[in-house]
Amino acid sequence: LGTISFRGHQNLVCCDISSCGTLLAASDAVTLMLFEIEYEKDEDGNMTIRPSKIKLQDSLAVPCQTVKFASRETLICATLDGPINVIRVDERDDDDSSSEDSGRIGRPSFDASPAQTIRETSMHDFLFPIQTIATSSDGLWFATSRGAVGSRDTRVYRSQGNKWEHWYSLPAFEAPVSTVQFRTQGDGVELILACSNFTSYVFGVTGKKLGSWSEGIGFPATENMPKDLRYSHYYPTRCVVNPASPKMFLVGSFGSFCVFDTSRDLPKYCKTVPPSHVRGRKRKRRKMSLDGNDSSSTESNCTICLRYNGMLFLDFISDNEMLVVEQPWLDVVETFPDALDRKMYGS
C-alpha cells in the first residue's frame, strides 16, 4: 500500500498499528510519533495510503521502548525512563479550525491527550525498561514484562472506567520472561507467558492463579517441559493464539516456533516438522511419552516447526491463517562492508 519514511539519524525502536488500521505509533531513541493513516483509491482502483502526523504534547513525545494499542482510542507507551504513559486518541471536533499539523502530509482528524501516567515501583524499575506489552482483545486488560528474574517483574492491569489500575503481579519464575500474550477462554481471560528457556505458563487473570493446564504440569515447570525445548538454542520472541483454536497457542523464536495444545498433557519429546530437518535434534531411538507408551499420537501436542528461519514477524491474520516474514541471511550479508584485509592463499 505504501511506505512511511522517517528522516533522521535514529533507528526505530518500536511501532504498532491499531486494529482498525487508522492509527500508527512509532518511536525512535529521541521521540514518539503518532500518525493517522487514510486509505485512498485512484482512478485505476489501486489503494494507496496518506499519513498525517498527530501533534503530541512535550510530556508525551518521549522515547519509548515499546508501544501497544489497547483500542482505537487508547495507546499504551512504555517509556525508556520507566513510567507508562496512557494516551487518549479522540476524533477532532469539526468546529476546531486550529491546527499546527497542516502542511505537506495533511491535517489529521484526531487529537492526542495524556490520560494517565503509571509509575511502577520495584527494584528492577531502575535496571530494566519494560520490554513487552500485551493487551486483551476486549481492551480491558494489559500486561507488562521487563525481562528480568524476580517477583513483580510481570504485572497485569485492568481498566476501571477511564483509569487503569494494577490488578496483580505474577510470581518469580526460573528464567526471565521473554513474551506474554492474552487469550479468551469462554467468559474468562487468560495470560500466556513464555520464559527465555521456552518454559510456558498459563494464568487465569480474573482468578489470579495458574490455569488448569499449568497446574497439571506443576510449578516450576522447567523439568516437566519436553526435552527438545529445554535444550533449544533459541529463545522465545513472540507468543500468538489462533482465533479459530483458542486452546492452542504458539511460541516463536527467530529460527523456529512451537505449538502447544492446552487441552492435552505435555509429551516427553516434541514432534519436529520437517522430520529430517538439518537443524532438528537427532534421536538414536524412538522416544516414549510420559507414561512409557508410544508417543506417536501425543507428540502432536507439542510440535516444533523448523521450516522458517530468520523470522522478523509471525502472527495470525485470520482463522487458521498465519503470516510469517523472514529475513534471508544472504540479504544480510550483502549489507556488510568490504573486507579491510583478506588473506590470499596459494600465492
Side-chain angles (χ1 to χ4, degrees):
L1 295 179
T3 301
I4 302 177
S5 300
F6 300 90
R7 295 180 179 179
H9 302 288
Q10 305 292 334
N11 294 328
L12 290 181
V13 177
C14 59
C15 66
D16 190 43
I17 191 169
S18 60
S19 58
C20 59
T22 59
L23 294 173
L24 172 68
S27 177
D28 56 18
V30 176
T31 185
L32 172 69
M33 296 163 285
L34 184 61
F35 297 89
E36 176 190 357
I37 307 297
E38 293 181 328
Y39 301 87
E40 300 176 345
K41 284 187 177 181
D42 56 19
E43 297 178 354
D44 298 331
N46 299 322
M47 184 76 71
T48 58
I49 63 172
R50 184 168 63 89
S52 303
K53 189 174 182 180
I54 301 175
K55 184 177 178 57
L56 297 176
Q57 300 180 14
D58 293 341
S59 60
L60 301 179
V62 295
C64 298
Q65 178 69 24
T66 180
V67 294
K68 189 72 175 178
F69 281 97
S71 62
R72 203 272 296 164
E73 299 84 7
T74 305
L75 174 63
I76 302 172
C77 308
T79 64
L80 291 176
D81 296 334
I84 302 173
N85 289 334
V86 181
I87 300 177
R88 178 77 181 182
V89 184
D90 298 306
E91 293 188 16
R92 189 190 296 268
D93 295 334
D94 295 336
D95 298 335
D96 185 8
S97 59
S98 62
S99 174
E100 301 180 13
D101 301 311
S102 59
R104 182 177 60 85
I105 60 175
R107 177 177 181 269
S109 57
F110 292 91
D111 282 326
S113 59
Q116 185 180 355
T117 299
I118 303 173
R119 300 184 182 275
E120 298 183 346
T121 56
S122 73
M123 62 175 294
H124 297 304
D125 292 358
F126 305 100
L127 301 176
F128 305 99
I130 293 175
Q131 301 291 335
T132 305
I133 296 177
T135 58
S136 61
S137 58
D138 56 9
L140 300 179
W141 303 88
F142 81 87
T144 63
S145 178
R146 296 182 180 271
V149 177
S151 59
R152 300 173 62 88
D153 172 69
T154 303
R155 309 184 186 193
V156 179
Y157 298 85
R158 70 170 178 176
S159 175
Q160 291 287 351
N162 295 327
K163 295 293 183 181
W164 294 87
E165 69 174 13
H166 176 251
W167 180 241
Y168 80 111
S169 298
L170 273 64
F173 300 98
E174 57 269 40
V177 176
S178 295
T179 180
V180 294
Q181 183 62 269
F182 283 95
R183 73 171 180 179
T184 302
Q185 279 287 88
D187 297 332
V189 177
E190 293 183 336
L191 180 66
I192 304 170
L193 62 87
C195 300
S196 60
N197 61 353
F198 269 96
T199 300
S200 302
Y201 293 94
V202 177
F203 282 85
V205 175
T206 54
K208 302 181 181 181
K209 62 179 183 179
L210 280 173
S212 57
W213 182 72
S214 292
E215 285 183 345
I217 298 175
F219 187 92
T222 298
E223 295 300 323
N224 297 325
M225 297 297 292
K227 292 186 177 181
D228 307 72
L229 296 178
R230 281 188 282 165
Y231 301 108
S232 174
H233 301 293
Y234 305 100
Y235 64 92
T237 57
R238 57 188 62 85
C239 179
V240 296
V241 178
N242 185 358
S245 303
K247 291 185 178 181
M248 303 179 67
F249 67 92
L250 184 151
V251 178
S253 64
F254 294 104
S256 67
F257 64 82
C258 183
V259 182
F260 294 96
D261 186 354
T262 56
S263 64
R264 305 167 65 180
D265 296 333
L266 279 177
K268 189 174 182 180
Y269 295 92
C270 295
K271 178 182 178 181
T272 302
V273 178
S276 58
H277 197 278
V278 66
R279 291 188 287 121
R281 182 172 293 275
K282 304 299 185 296
R283 302 175 187 172
K284 295 182 179 179
R285 58 184 178 84
R286 189 173 186 84
K287 302 300 181 181
M288 311 301 289
S289 62
L290 289 174
D291 57 1
N293 297 323
D294 192 340
S295 60
S296 59
S297 60
T298 59
E299 281 183 336
S300 58
N301 176 28
C302 178
T303 303
I304 299 177
C305 179
L306 301 173
R307 192 179 302 275
Y308 310 102
N309 196 11
M311 289 182 286
L312 302 179
F313 178 84
L314 184 149
D315 201 356
F316 284 93
I317 57 177
S318 65
D319 292 352
N320 297 321
E321 188 174 4
M322 188 170 64
L323 175 66
V324 177
V325 179
E326 293 180 281
Q327 174 66 68
W329 280 112
L330 290 180
D331 292 350
V332 177
V333 174
E334 291 179 354
T335 64
F336 292 169
D338 296 334
L340 299 178
D341 184 21
R342 180 180 291 117
K343 292 183 178 181
M344 303 296 295
Y345 295 92
S347 59

